[in-house]
């Protein structure tokens, strides 16, 4: 499973030649100006919730690639009404293919489109391939529901928001890492806007002091887990 960071909460996940794009927000992110969205591959676009900093580039990428949008019922309906492909799941539900599965799990946050349309309840994803599993928390507060995940799935890595203000901050993300029983954490949702600016060195140190690894990929960088 190959993970590429495209800034903010946008990731590309490659599993057996299939490309999953998570929460595409690139054209609105000045930190991601080196990323050419016309080159991004996507067979599936996974959306955790409807906020603009997670869906801004969905339409342009889905139109070009023909990708299937996977998200909650309301978000998928919204895009199907624009003639894009979608597959709706809701909390507890799993989308399955031959090479991977995607389960929609709880998040504590809000979800509405920029035009005010209701965006269903926000979520996160547990993505499992034959040999690897990854939890993408989405925008969320720390929640006890995270403890359900390792009861069913042994995670190889997790993607957690760490920017505070709109989501968990560093200390809660460290607790989340305990809740999901995984010490390999990719941080996201930090430094894009002034309210979510963090001290990167201090964040890495805080995780390290609890024997945890906080990985903050450069925008455009990839890593295999
Ligand atoms: Ni949000
Ligand atoms: Mn957000």
């Amino acid at each position: 499973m190959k993970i590429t960071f495209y800034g903010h909460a946008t990731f590309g996940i490659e599993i057996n030649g299939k490309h999953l794009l998570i929460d595409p927000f690139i054209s609105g992110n000045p930190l991601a100006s080196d990323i050419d969205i016309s080159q991004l591959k996507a067979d599936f676009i996974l959306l955790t919730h409807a906020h603009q900093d997670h869906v801004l580039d969905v339409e342009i990428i889905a139109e070009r690639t023909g990708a299937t949008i996977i998200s909650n019922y309301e978000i998928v309906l919204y895009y199907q009404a624009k003639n894009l492909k979608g597959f709706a799941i809701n909390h507890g539900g799993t989308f399955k293919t031959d090479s991977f599965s995607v389960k929609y799990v709880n998040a504590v946050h809000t979800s509405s489109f920029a035009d005010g349309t209701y965006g269903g309840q926000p979520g996160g994803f547990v993505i499992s391939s034959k040999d690897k599993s990854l939890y993408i928390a989405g925008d969320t507060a720390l929640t006890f529901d995270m403890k359900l995940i390792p009861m069913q799935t042994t995670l190889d890595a997790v993607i957690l928001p760490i920017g505070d203000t709109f989501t968990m901050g560093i200390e809660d993300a460290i607790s989340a890492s305990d809740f999901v029983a995984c010490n390999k954490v990719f941080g996201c949702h930090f430094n894009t806007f002034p309210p979510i600016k963090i001290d990167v060195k201090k964040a890495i140190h805080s995780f390290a002091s609890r024997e945890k690894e906080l990985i903050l990929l450069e925008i455009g960088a990839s890593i295999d887990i």
Side-chain angles (χ1 to χ4, degrees):
M1 194 181 285
K2 183 179 171 188
I3 300 175
T4 305
F5 183 49
Y6 293 116
H8 196 53
T10 308
F11 288 86
I13 313 288
E14 193 179 336
I15 304 169
N16 298 331
K18 291 288 178 202
H19 292 86
L20 285 61
L21 184 65
I22 320 298
D23 286 355
F25 172 76
I26 295 157
S27 64
N29 181 2
L31 302 178
S33 56
D34 286 348
I35 305 296
D36 180 355
I37 62 170
S38 71
Q39 297 300 312
L40 290 187
K41 293 179 181 165
D43 299 296
F44 300 94
I45 299 174
L46 276 56
L47 303 177
T48 60
H49 65 296
H51 286 158
Q52 185 79 333
D53 60 318
H54 298 257
V55 305
L56 181 68
D57 296 319
V58 169
E59 287 175 45
I60 192 162
I61 296 170
E63 272 167 16
R64 175 177 57 81
T65 59
T68 299
I69 295 161
I70 299 174
S71 189
N72 70 36
Y73 184 70
E74 286 78 7
I75 289 174
V76 167
L77 274 192
Y78 181 89
Y79 288 112
Q80 282 175 336
K82 295 172 182 278
N83 289 318
L84 297 172
K85 271 191 260 171
F87 189 95
I89 51 180
N90 233 326
H91 303 84
T94 303
F95 172 81
K96 296 190 185 93
T97 73
D98 288 344
S99 50
F100 67 90
S101 66
V102 175
K103 184 173 185 180
Y104 198 56
V105 297
N106 290 349
V108 175
H109 193 65
T110 56
S111 178
S112 53
F113 285 94
D115 63 8
T117 304
Y118 174 56
Q121 294 291 308
F125 295 106
V126 177
I127 301 174
S128 297
S129 67
K130 219 168 275 162
D131 55 343
K132 299 285 176 185
S133 289
L134 170 73
Y135 168 49
I136 299 171
D139 282 10
T140 184
L142 178 65
T143 163
F144 245 55
D145 287 339
M146 290 169 177
K147 292 192 172 210
L148 296 170
I149 295 168
M151 293 170 70
Q152 297 175 329
T153 307
T154 302
L155 296 169
D156 295 282
V158 299
I159 296 176
L160 301 177
I162 58 171
D164 210 331
T165 309
F166 307 117
T167 67
M168 297 186 280
I170 299 297
E171 284 306 311
D172 283 356
I174 288 169
S175 297
S177 157
D178 284 332
F179 284 10
V180 298
C182 181
N183 289 331
K184 192 183 190 74
V185 177
F186 292 89
C188 71
H189 217 275
F190 68 95
N191 284 1
T192 318
F193 318 110
I196 58 174
K197 276 250 182 319
I198 64 161
D199 182 333
V200 163
K201 269 191 191 153
K202 199 172 149 197
I204 291 170
H205 178 77
S206 297
F207 273 76
S209 70
R210 266 83 147 214
E211 321 267 291
K212 295 175 186 293
E213 185 184 8
L214 178 65
I215 303 164
L216 303 179
L217 291 174
E218 295 289 326
I219 294 175
S222 299
I223 197 166
D224 271 301
I225 61 159

Short mmCIF file of all heavy atoms in Angstrom, two decimals, residues 2 5-7 15 17 19-21 25 67 91 98 110 149 169 174 178 197 203 206:
data_model
loop_
_atom_site.label_atom_id
_atom_site.label_comp_id
_atom_site.label_asym_id
_atom_site.label_seq_id
_atom_site.Cartn_x
_atom_site.Cartn_y
_atom_site.Cartn_z
N LYS A 2 0.72 2.08 -1.06
CA LYS A 2 1.56 3.28 -1.18
C LYS A 2 0.73 4.52 -0.85
O LYS A 2 -0.38 4.68 -1.36
CB LYS A 2 2.10 3.37 -2.60
CG LYS A 2 3.03 4.53 -2.87
CD LYS A 2 3.49 4.47 -4.33
CE LYS A 2 4.26 5.71 -4.72
NZ LYS A 2 4.52 5.72 -6.17
N PHE A 5 1.05 12.10 -0.09
CA PHE A 5 0.41 13.26 0.53
C PHE A 5 0.32 14.40 -0.48
O PHE A 5 1.32 14.76 -1.10
CB PHE A 5 1.25 13.70 1.74
CG PHE A 5 0.67 14.85 2.54
CD1 PHE A 5 -0.66 14.84 2.93
CD2 PHE A 5 1.46 15.93 2.90
CE1 PHE A 5 -1.20 15.89 3.68
CE2 PHE A 5 0.95 16.99 3.65
CZ PHE A 5 -0.39 16.96 4.04
N TYR A 6 -0.87 14.95 -0.65
CA TYR A 6 -1.07 16.07 -1.58
C TYR A 6 -1.44 17.36 -0.84
O TYR A 6 -1.99 18.28 -1.43
CB TYR A 6 -2.16 15.72 -2.61
CG TYR A 6 -1.75 14.61 -3.54
CD1 TYR A 6 -2.43 13.39 -3.56
CD2 TYR A 6 -0.67 14.76 -4.42
CE1 TYR A 6 -2.05 12.36 -4.41
CE2 TYR A 6 -0.28 13.74 -5.27
CZ TYR A 6 -0.98 12.54 -5.26
OH TYR A 6 -0.60 11.53 -6.11
N GLY A 7 -1.16 17.41 0.45
CA GLY A 7 -1.43 18.61 1.23
C GLY A 7 -2.76 18.54 1.97
O GLY A 7 -3.66 17.80 1.58
N ILE A 15 -3.24 0.69 -4.23
CA ILE A 15 -3.34 -0.70 -3.80
C ILE A 15 -3.47 -1.57 -5.04
O ILE A 15 -4.45 -1.45 -5.77
CB ILE A 15 -4.59 -0.93 -2.91
CG1 ILE A 15 -4.59 0.01 -1.71
CG2 ILE A 15 -4.68 -2.39 -2.45
CD1 ILE A 15 -5.92 0.03 -0.95
N GLY A 17 -2.29 -1.45 -7.96
CA GLY A 17 -2.53 -0.74 -9.22
C GLY A 17 -3.80 0.09 -9.24
O GLY A 17 -4.05 0.81 -10.21
N HIS A 19 -6.03 3.25 -7.78
CA HIS A 19 -5.74 4.55 -7.15
C HIS A 19 -6.95 5.09 -6.42
O HIS A 19 -7.99 5.34 -7.03
CB HIS A 19 -5.25 5.54 -8.20
CG HIS A 19 -3.92 5.18 -8.78
ND1 HIS A 19 -3.78 4.32 -9.84
CD2 HIS A 19 -2.66 5.53 -8.41
CE1 HIS A 19 -2.50 4.17 -10.11
NE2 HIS A 19 -1.79 4.89 -9.26
N LEU A 20 -6.77 5.28 -5.12
CA LEU A 20 -7.83 5.89 -4.30
C LEU A 20 -7.36 7.30 -3.94
O LEU A 20 -6.24 7.48 -3.46
CB LEU A 20 -8.03 5.10 -3.00
CG LEU A 20 -8.76 3.76 -3.05
CD1 LEU A 20 -8.07 2.73 -3.92
CD2 LEU A 20 -8.90 3.19 -1.64
N LEU A 21 -8.20 8.28 -4.20
CA LEU A 21 -7.86 9.66 -3.85
C LEU A 21 -8.77 10.08 -2.71
O LEU A 21 -9.99 9.92 -2.78
CB LEU A 21 -8.05 10.55 -5.07
CG LEU A 21 -7.64 12.01 -4.92
CD1 LEU A 21 -6.13 12.13 -4.69
CD2 LEU A 21 -8.04 12.79 -6.18
N PHE A 25 -8.42 18.45 -2.11
CA PHE A 25 -8.42 19.91 -1.92
C PHE A 25 -7.01 20.37 -2.25
O PHE A 25 -6.11 20.34 -1.41
CB PHE A 25 -8.78 20.25 -0.46
CG PHE A 25 -8.63 21.71 -0.12
CD1 PHE A 25 -9.57 22.64 -0.54
CD2 PHE A 25 -7.56 22.16 0.63
CE1 PHE A 25 -9.43 24.00 -0.22
CE2 PHE A 25 -7.41 23.52 0.96
CZ PHE A 25 -8.36 24.43 0.53
N ALA A 67 -13.78 8.49 -12.07
CA ALA A 67 -13.68 7.79 -10.78
C ALA A 67 -15.04 7.65 -10.10
O ALA A 67 -15.93 8.48 -10.30
CB ALA A 67 -12.73 8.56 -9.85
N HIS A 91 -22.30 4.72 7.86
CA HIS A 91 -21.53 4.25 9.01
C HIS A 91 -21.79 2.77 9.28
O HIS A 91 -22.94 2.35 9.42
CB HIS A 91 -21.86 5.09 10.24
CG HIS A 91 -21.61 6.54 10.00
ND1 HIS A 91 -22.53 7.35 9.40
CD2 HIS A 91 -20.52 7.29 10.23
CE1 HIS A 91 -22.03 8.58 9.28
NE2 HIS A 91 -20.81 8.57 9.78
N ASP A 98 -12.20 -6.74 -5.36
CA ASP A 98 -11.34 -7.92 -5.27
C ASP A 98 -10.05 -7.62 -4.52
O ASP A 98 -9.47 -8.50 -3.88
CB ASP A 98 -10.98 -8.43 -6.67
CG ASP A 98 -12.18 -9.08 -7.34
OD1 ASP A 98 -13.14 -9.40 -6.61
OD2 ASP A 98 -12.15 -9.24 -8.57
N THR A 110 -18.71 18.00 11.75
CA THR A 110 -19.94 18.44 11.05
C THR A 110 -19.72 18.20 9.57
O THR A 110 -18.63 17.78 9.15
CB THR A 110 -20.23 19.92 11.34
OG1 THR A 110 -19.10 20.71 10.95
CG2 THR A 110 -20.53 20.15 12.81
N ILE A 149 -12.17 -0.02 16.38
CA ILE A 149 -11.44 -0.39 15.16
C ILE A 149 -10.45 -1.54 15.40
O ILE A 149 -10.49 -2.54 14.68
CB ILE A 149 -10.79 0.85 14.53
CG1 ILE A 149 -11.90 1.80 14.05
CG2 ILE A 149 -9.87 0.47 13.36
CD1 ILE A 149 -11.43 3.18 13.67
N GLY A 169 -6.16 18.02 18.27
CA GLY A 169 -4.79 18.53 18.25
C GLY A 169 -3.83 17.41 18.60
O GLY A 169 -4.22 16.23 18.65
N ILE A 174 -2.45 11.77 19.98
CA ILE A 174 -1.65 10.74 20.68
C ILE A 174 -2.59 9.75 21.39
O ILE A 174 -2.40 8.54 21.31
CB ILE A 174 -0.66 11.40 21.66
CG1 ILE A 174 0.46 12.09 20.86
CG2 ILE A 174 -0.08 10.38 22.64
CD1 ILE A 174 1.35 13.00 21.67
N ASP A 178 -3.37 5.60 20.68
CA ASP A 178 -3.56 4.53 21.69
C ASP A 178 -4.88 3.80 21.45
O ASP A 178 -4.94 2.57 21.48
CB ASP A 178 -3.57 5.13 23.11
CG ASP A 178 -2.17 5.50 23.59
OD1 ASP A 178 -1.20 4.86 23.14
OD2 ASP A 178 -2.08 6.43 24.41
N LYS A 197 -2.21 26.20 12.48
CA LYS A 197 -0.72 26.20 12.49
C LYS A 197 -0.22 25.45 13.73
O LYS A 197 -0.74 25.64 14.82
CB LYS A 197 -0.21 27.64 12.56
CG LYS A 197 -0.13 28.34 11.22
CD LYS A 197 1.35 28.53 10.83
CE LYS A 197 1.55 29.28 9.51
NZ LYS A 197 0.70 28.96 8.40
N ALA A 203 5.55 18.73 17.81
CA ALA A 203 4.59 17.65 17.57
C ALA A 203 5.31 16.31 17.41
O ALA A 203 4.93 15.30 18.02
CB ALA A 203 3.77 17.96 16.31
N SER A 206 6.60 15.22 20.73
CA SER A 206 5.54 14.73 21.63
C SER A 206 5.18 13.28 21.32
O SER A 206 5.00 12.47 22.23
CB SER A 206 4.28 15.59 21.49
OG SER A 206 4.54 16.90 21.89
#
